[in-house]
Amino acid sequence: MSIENDPLLQPFQLKHLRLKNRLMITSHEPAYPEDGMPKAKYRAYHVERARAGIALTMTAGSAAVSRDSPPVFNNILAYKDEVVPWMRDLTDACHEHGTAVMIQITHLGRRTSWSKGDWLPVVSPSHEREASHRAFPKKMEDWDIARIIKDYADAAERMHAAGVDGLELEAYGHLMDQFWSPATNTLESPYGGTLENRVRFTLEVVQAIRARLGPDFILGVRGVADEARPGGLTAEDGLGIARYLVKSGMVDFLNIIRGHIDTDAGLTDVIPVQGMRSAPHLEFAGGLREQLGGIPIFHGAKIQDVTTARFAIQSGKLDMVGMTRAHMADPHIVRKIMAGLEHTIRPCVGGNFCLDRIYQGGEAYCIHNPATGRELSMPHVVPKAPIAHHVVVVGAGPAGMEAARVASERGHKVTVLEAAPQPGGQIRLTAVSQRRREMLSIIDWRMARCEEQGVQFHFNTLADADTVLELKPDVVIIATGGLPHTDVLSAGNELVVSSWDILSGDVKPRRNVLLFDDAGDHPALQAAEVIANSGAKLEIMTPDRSFAPEVMAMNLVPYMRSLQKLDVTFTVTFRLESVHREGNSLRAVVGSDYGGVMKERIVDQVVVNHGTRPLDELYFALKEQSSNKGALDYTALIAGRPQAQAAQAATGFTLYRIGDAVSARNTHAAIYDALRLVKDL
């Protein structure tokens, strides 16, 4: 398909604003603000995507309009005047690349905590508590409604002063939707009861903004059109609300959402993770567009590939298509489409490391693009090195593959030695689970880029020091990963198996299994699914007070939906102490870090998940022969500067170790290790 005929590359006229293509980044909060302001880091993130050709970037996954709407994950504070120059800097920088900028503003209502910010009561149109954020809200009074409407108008005026191209009001899960939904609105007339009354608050906010900014400023609503839950908004209600908004003549676009976000499970259905259906709400959004006729419809929810996005536009389902997580994985999607390099787009694998991190109070980072959110120090496009060297990488897991990719893009000659018959390392074990097969794209994408750059791979090669030295390397990078560590009991370590043993199929589940998870990561739950699906009785035990903390909220949802149906028992705050043979069974002795408790379980099999220990023999065999003795300058590494060249020894090579060959961490950490080390080699 030519650029001229590509539906995604056709311009779209939104009121007076000409958007240069049909791709947008929907409003989201990567939690990069500093003191509630979108400063250099935030600006660099959006400018990178603007530079690459995105038509519209929407900032803030909801900038707070009121002090009693305290952010729960470091949102922009739209209620402060000081936000104006920071937003103006961001907007101007994106405008330089022909990209339009909008911002989403909101009042969170009950979707926050009274213990944040100024410790004001959470407010909502009812006393109904939201499960996710746990606050019991104050039921709103008339003066609450009046002041919040004014707060919206004040925030909108600040954004207008910052020069943004438009504004989006957030109305799913937040205060506006809490007015809309009969499940969360128990007010009487004029703001409760009938659908017309429940939409009144939104219309009055829109009217207040129009009174301040006039009829020309672009104003839209990102709203739920079907909450898909008992007692909530129905699709019929959603259509009715949309018609009220359109009839008002004051709303310029609708950004359609389906579902509810007041629980982890509900949120995950709205924003699906890997293993879940792609673009699950596209047909729904397209159907609404057809019924409303005329008002522009935007939508994005796991539209992670260009083919699906192109279909959404070509088929007339959407006017603008959101690819937000996809642009976290690869900010240069538009540039690559235009250059005929669509096949080189780094795929979004749906790992949801980005969103799960912000819901735990961290910054959003892509599971396999560590430059996202680090644009000030990490490159999305790796520059060429002034001098080419021979780089030998040992290990072809995620860390080794990233090291090979980056080194080859630098122009170095790269040789990779891998003991297995194919690349992937722990990713390949992860992908044994059908629901996590998308993770293989992390390796496949890097393998394709390495092949383009002429990287030499030697599989089925168990490298020793002589093997490496015979290649006469200038740089050696050890990325050999780790192996499961199960030697954690006071007695009976020889009687247990690892989660890897179960996942790989090397060990079959027995009838009655105790899985002790002391790492809280994916391998435990993946092994649990294998065990439970075999028909075995399974208890998962952890000494932690929360279940699977490294898996995090949205990724936990598919596991729980699977395991709860299989009648798995979940036990927290208990620690496996020892295992003893008892006839044909095993006696597991269980204690607690809290003390004073000792219990026993009689089971057929004990599985231990306790992370990995580094495979570091080769590193230590080479260490004394290397010129730098394996040392890393952490100050330079953290600052994104090159490592200083050590004094040349007889063999003249520098030695580094990355990923799980150093310590058990995760995929993102392994890839980040590789990028920030190798980008300057």
Side-chain angles (χ1 to χ4, degrees), residues 23-28 49 54 56-58 322-324 327:
L23 284 165
M24 65 179 288
I25 296 170
T26 56
S27 297
H28 64 293
R49 285 136 188 89
I54 194 78
L56 169 62
T57 189
M58 283 198 176
M323 295 186 73
T324 305
H327 273 85

Side-chain angles (χ1 to χ4, degrees), residues 543-591:
D544 295 322
R545 58 186 170 88
S546 60
F547 189 68
E550 298 300 318
V551 174
M552 298 186 280
M554 294 174 72
N555 268 291
L556 186 63
V557 170
Y559 287 117
M560 297 306 289
R561 284 177 171 166
S562 167
L563 295 171
Q564 286 183 336
K565 289 175 185 174
L566 295 167
D567 204 26
V568 172
T569 299
F570 302 91
T571 302
V572 297
T573 71
F574 284 92
R575 179 178 294 280
L576 180 63
E577 302 283 356
S578 61
V579 177
H580 309 271
R581 179 73 66 187
E582 192 155 295
N584 292 326
S585 300
L586 298 174
R587 177 167 53 88
V589 179
V590 176

Side-chain angles (χ1 to χ4, degrees), residues 17-21 23-25 46-58 90-102 165:
L17 180 66
R18 185 179 187 273
L19 299 170
K20 61 186 177 181
N21 57 59
L23 284 165
M24 65 179 288
I25 296 170
H46 281 282
V47 170
E48 185 73 34
R49 285 136 188 89
R51 185 184 293 116
I54 194 78
L56 169 62
T57 189
M58 283 198 176
L90 186 157
T91 301
D92 289 348
C94 290
H95 281 171
E96 287 179 11
H97 301 285
T99 294
V101 179
M102 296 191 190
D165 296 288

Side-chain angles (χ1 to χ4, degrees), residues 597-614:
V597 177
M598 196 64 69
K599 300 184 177 186
E600 292 185 350
R601 304 280 198 276
I602 302 299
V603 295
D604 299 309
Q605 187 178 58
V606 174
V607 180
V608 171
N609 185 66
H610 188 77
T612 63
R613 290 287 171 92

Side-chain angles (χ1 to χ4, degrees), residues 93-401:
C94 290
H95 281 171
E96 287 179 11
H97 301 285
T99 294
V101 179
M102 296 191 190
I103 188 168
Q104 183 187 82
I105 63 173
T106 197
H107 192 293
L108 289 159
R110 67 176 191 158
R111 191 172 169 77
T112 183
S113 171
W114 50 266
S115 63
K116 302 285 186 183
D118 298 303
W119 285 59
L120 295 172
V122 168
V123 297
S124 188
S126 74
H127 290 300
E128 296 299 322
R129 176 203 196 201
E130 191 208 51
S132 289
H133 293 85
R134 307 182 60 81
F136 291 95
K138 169 198 174 183
K139 188 173 179 179
M140 296 175 75
E141 299 177 66
D142 52 0
W143 61 270
D144 289 312
I145 294 172
R147 70 176 171 80
I148 291 172
I149 290 172
K150 180 179 181 299
D151 287 345
Y152 267 103
D154 290 345
E157 191 168 8
R158 292 184 189 100
M159 296 306 117
H160 182 264
V164 299
D165 296 288
L167 201 68
E168 181 178 80
L169 304 176
E170 212 276 27
Y172 71 100
H174 295 199
L175 183 61
M176 283 191 176
D177 174 41
Q178 291 161 33
F179 271 93
W180 291 1
S181 175
T184 50
N185 186 344
T186 59
L187 293 173
E188 296 179 354
S189 182
Y191 294 100
T194 66
L195 185 64
E196 183 178 10
N197 283 347
R198 300 200 308 271
V199 80
R200 189 184 307 278
F201 171 75
T202 300
L203 290 174
E204 289 185 357
V205 169
V206 171
Q207 288 165 355
I209 292 172
R210 284 289 180 217
R212 293 281 187 95
L213 305 183
D216 295 332
F217 189 68
I218 293 173
L219 180 60
V221 176
R222 190 178 194 184
V224 59
D226 178 8
E227 286 188 306
R229 62 167 172 167
L233 282 175
T234 64
E236 183 180 356
D237 292 333
L239 178 61
I241 290 170
R243 283 177 169 154
Y244 277 119
L245 295 174
V246 172
K247 185 180 177 182
S248 75
M250 295 183 291
V251 173
D252 300 311
F253 68 87
L254 295 177
N255 193 340
I256 301 301
I257 292 289
R258 187 184 198 185
H260 59 99
I261 59 172
D262 54 328
T263 65
D264 290 342
L267 179 64
T268 308
D269 287 333
V270 171
I271 312 173
V273 301
Q274 63 185 201
M276 300 175 73
R277 187 161 66 95
S278 292
H281 314 306
L282 177 58
E283 292 293 331
F284 176 79
L288 202 64
R289 181 180 186 269
E290 190 175 323
Q291 293 179 80
L292 291 172
I295 190 166
I297 298 293
F298 302 173
H299 172 68
K302 206 188 179 191
I303 300 175
Q304 66 202 80
D305 63 275
V306 171
T307 301
T308 304
R310 187 174 284 126
F311 167 76
I313 299 299
Q314 190 170 33
S315 62
K317 298 187 187 306
L318 305 178
D319 295 289
M320 293 290 294
V321 58
M323 295 186 73
T324 305
R325 283 179 292 179
H327 273 85
M328 297 190 85
D330 192 335
H332 296 172
I333 290 174
V334 177
R335 177 180 66 79
K336 290 179 178 180
I337 294 172
M338 295 181 70
L341 297 172
E342 197 172 312
H343 65 284
T344 70
I345 292 172
R346 187 188 311 233
C348 174
V349 300
N352 221 52
F353 187 63
C354 49
L355 280 177
D356 268 336
R357 272 184 55 83
I358 66 168
Y359 286 117
Q360 286 199 346
E363 296 172 308
Y365 291 129
C366 173
I367 194 170
H368 79 123
N369 185 353
T372 287
R374 298 187 179 100
E375 283 81 7
L376 296 175
S377 60
M378 294 294 120
H380 285 282
V381 178
V382 179
K384 292 292 184 184
I387 301 172
H389 296 294
H390 185 195
V391 179
V392 173
V393 179
V394 186
M401 291 298 293

